[in-house]
Every structure is written in C-alpha cells, then in structure tokens.
Amino acid sequence: MDTQAYSKISNAALIQELYRRYRCQEEALRKRIVLLGMPGAGKGTHSAKMLARFCMCHLSTGDLLREEVRSGSEFGKKLKGIMERGELIEDEVMCNLIKQQLAKPACANGAILDGFPRTIPQAEKLDQILKQSGQSIDQAIFMNVREQVVVDRLGGRWTHLNSGRTYHYKFNPPKVHGVDDVTGEPLVQREDDKEATIRNRLNVYQNKTSPIIDYYRKKGILFEVNAERPVNDIWKDIKTIVKTK
Ligand code: AP5
Ligand code: MG
C-alpha cells in the first residue's frame, strides 16, 4: 500500500470512496449496456457516472485508441491519421479490441460500451462475441441531441487524458481552470475537436452509426433519453433506466 499517497487524501474523501465501492458492489447489476449518440452527446460524461455508481467496466473505444496513439507504436501512428480525419477504424480491428477488453475481470460486474458498436457489422459481431459466453446486450441507451448542440459542446471540451474525464469550459467547468478535479493533472483539447473534423465525424455518424439505433429498437432494448438537458437531469433518467428496466 502506498501510505504516502494515501496520506495526501482527506479522511472524509477516503470514507466517501469506501462507501461508494461498498454500495456499487452491493448493487452490481451485471448488465451490458451500449451508450449510443452523436459525438458530443455526453456518452463519456455519463459513462464516468455509471462507472462510479454501478462498478461496471467502462469500455470507451475512443479512449483505448487514443492511448495507443500516445504510446507512439507503429499501429498508433496509423490510427492517429484516421482519427484526426474523423474516419472510422476498420471493423475487424475494433471487434478484436472489444473482445479482449470484455474478457477482463473488471467487466464481470457488467460493462458500459461507449463508442462501440459504431457500424452494423460491429453490432452483429458484438452479439456473436457475447453469445459465446452466454451473454447479450441488455440495454442500448440512445442519447438524442441535435447537431448544433454538439458542435458547441465539442468546441469547448477539455479532457483528462489518463481517465477520459471530460469538462466543458462553460457547461461543466473544472474547479480550477485547465486542471482535472480528481488528480490535479492538466486538461487537454482533443485533436479531433477542430471544426472541420467535427463536421466529418457527424457525417460519419449519420451514414454509418445511426442505423444501429434501429438495430437495437428492433430487438426491443432501445431506451431514448433527451440529451439536450443539464447533465444532472439526463443522469436521473439514465439511472432509472439502468436500475429498473
Ligand atoms: P470517441 O472518442 O468515441 O468520440 P465520439 O463518439 O466522437 O464521441 P465523443 O467522445 O466526442 O463525445 P461523447 O458523447 O463522449 O461526449 P462527452 O461526454 O465527451 O471516438 C473518437 C474516434 O475514435 C472516432 O472518430 C473514430 O475515429 C475512432 N473510433 C472510436 N470507436 C470506434 C469504433 N467502434 N469503430 C471505428 N472507429 C472508432 O461530452 C462532450 C462535451 O460536452 C464535454 O465537454 C462535456 O463536458 C459536455 N457535455 C456533456 N453533456 C452535456 C450536457 N448535458 N450539457 C452541456 N454540456 C455537456
Ligand atoms: Mg467520448
């Protein structure tokens, strides 16, 4: 145990964290939930809340790919160009990545899939992967928002690279400007949050990703949330869906 690191954290914060872990272990839902929605709909923002509340694993394919880019690997260099243009990575690469991640012990309490699937072939492959271990997607939550709203959100987003936590300079500012609330580390802007790339990401979403909404609707597991409201209102709806449906 790193006693020195813990000594910097207040007793109240430690007790709060213990309580959080106890409560979410007790209430583990063991569900597999897909979060759907345009870039900037708030998938990452609400995944962080779900992770804290229900102790599920958070699989953000965007965060995993950005980590690979930061590693400087040859594979990461290939990904970088594609992501900066706002295009999608090949389905096969993405499906292998998600298969490896789902098998990790952290996902035994359930999983939040944020940014995957993003095409119909990915959705079909995901069903096959889960079926091999007798599982399936329990719920797909569609965070519905208009394009103009997300353009404003992405233009002002700041991200904490190590955790994927996101802030917005106006709508959801950190306690201290430019600094992550939890770790005190600096926040950065994403390379793909430039206006031209945002526009392309939105086109790609409309053409390739939006058909997934119907894919889950036909299965009877789609839940729609109006994602244009304040974060706390959206979160209340998501909690209700996840806990009761
Ligand atoms: P990814 O990282 O998944 O990006 P995305 O889908 O474009 O979504 P974002 O992360 O931009 O938005 P979000 O919905 O998480 O919004 P957030 O909560 O941050 O993917 C990036 C790239 O990786 C892709 O373009 C592709 O190249 C590649 N990739 C990833 N997965 C892939 C796959 N499966 N197949 C192929 N390629 C793949 O919120 C945004 C901002 O708004 C924040 O500043 C936040 O504070 C603010 N905000 C959130 N909610 C509210 C609210 N209610 N009111 C006001 N502000 C809000
Ligand atoms: Mg995100």
Side-chain angles (χ1 to χ4, degrees):
M1 193 194 295
D2 187 347
T3 315
Q4 219 173 5
Y6 283 121
S7 68
K8 291 180 192 151
I9 306 170
S10 72
N11 287 347
L14 278 175
I15 291 166
Q16 215 175 6
E17 172 60 9
L18 270 179
Y19 175 66
R20 182 195 71 79
R21 288 193 196 184
Y22 171 76
R23 189 172 70 155
C24 73
Q25 288 293 348
E26 285 292 293
E27 292 183 14
L29 299 164
R30 296 193 173 80
K31 282 185 172 175
R32 275 147 296 271
I33 298 174
V34 170
L35 280 188
L36 288 171
M38 273 185 208
K43 303 180 296 293
T45 303
H46 288 86
S47 293
K49 289 179 173 293
M50 288 167 81
L51 172 71
R53 180 68 180 78
F54 301 115
C55 287
M56 303 155 95
C57 69
H58 173 207
L59 301 182
S60 160
T61 41
D63 287 351
L64 292 166
L65 295 169
R66 281 184 287 277
E67 208 176 296
E68 188 67 39
V69 171
R70 285 203 303 282
S71 78
S73 69
E74 281 309 308
F75 178 50
K77 284 178 194 155
K78 280 189 204 152
L79 297 175
K80 189 171 188 285
I82 301 171
M83 292 172 76
E84 284 180 9
R85 290 194 301 278
E87 302 292 339
L88 296 184
I89 312 300
E90 269 174 72
D91 287 340
E92 199 190 332
V93 171
M94 296 312 301
C95 293
N96 289 336
L97 176 69
I98 214 76
K99 188 174 179 183
Q100 283 170 11
Q101 295 292 325
L102 279 169
K104 291 190 171 170
C107 294
N109 276 341
I112 309 154
L113 290 117
D114 160 10
F116 186 97
R118 242 178 167 95
T119 62
I120 293 285
Q122 287 184 14
E124 290 168 346
K125 185 70 190 179
L126 175 62
D127 286 345
Q128 286 171 22
I129 293 169
L130 289 171
K131 202 172 170 191
Q132 285 164 6
S133 45
Q135 298 172 341
S136 59
I137 293 297
D138 297 286
Q139 293 175 315
I141 301 179
F142 170 39
M143 306 189 66
N144 198 358
V145 64
R146 281 168 302 161
E147 250 187 58
Q148 190 44 50
V149 175
V150 299
V151 172
D152 290 345
R153 284 186 189 173
L154 294 174
R157 170 166 60 186
W158 287 87
T159 305
H160 176 241
L161 285 179
N162 288 333
S163 68
R165 263 185 296 279
T166 55
Y167 301 85
H168 190 279
Y169 83 95
K170 193 162 96 192
F171 306 134
N172 176 27
K175 288 177 190 146
V176 178
H177 179 73
V179 170
D180 177 45
D181 287 352
V182 179
T183 61
E185 289 167 356
L187 301 174
V188 297
Q189 274 197 294
R190 266 171 48 177
E191 289 293 330
D192 59 351
D193 279 348
K194 299 189 177 107
E195 183 150 2
T197 314
I198 292 173
R199 292 281 169 207
N200 195 36
R201 285 162 62 200
L202 291 171
N203 281 339
V204 170
Y205 172 83
Q206 294 302 356
N207 294 330
K208 300 198 171 150
T209 306
S210 65
I212 295 179
I213 297 165
D214 261 351
Y215 179 86
Y216 288 116
R217 186 177 283 126
K218 283 184 191 144
K219 286 179 178 282
I221 55 170
L222 187 82
F223 298 87
E224 187 169 331
V225 171
N226 171 357
E228 292 194 4
R229 296 167 299 151
V231 169
N232 283 342
D233 294 355
I234 302 168
W235 174 228
K236 268 187 209 152
D237 283 4
I238 292 184
K239 255 191 312 196
T240 307
I241 292 168
V242 171
K243 282 172 81 169
T244 59
K245 309 274 171 160

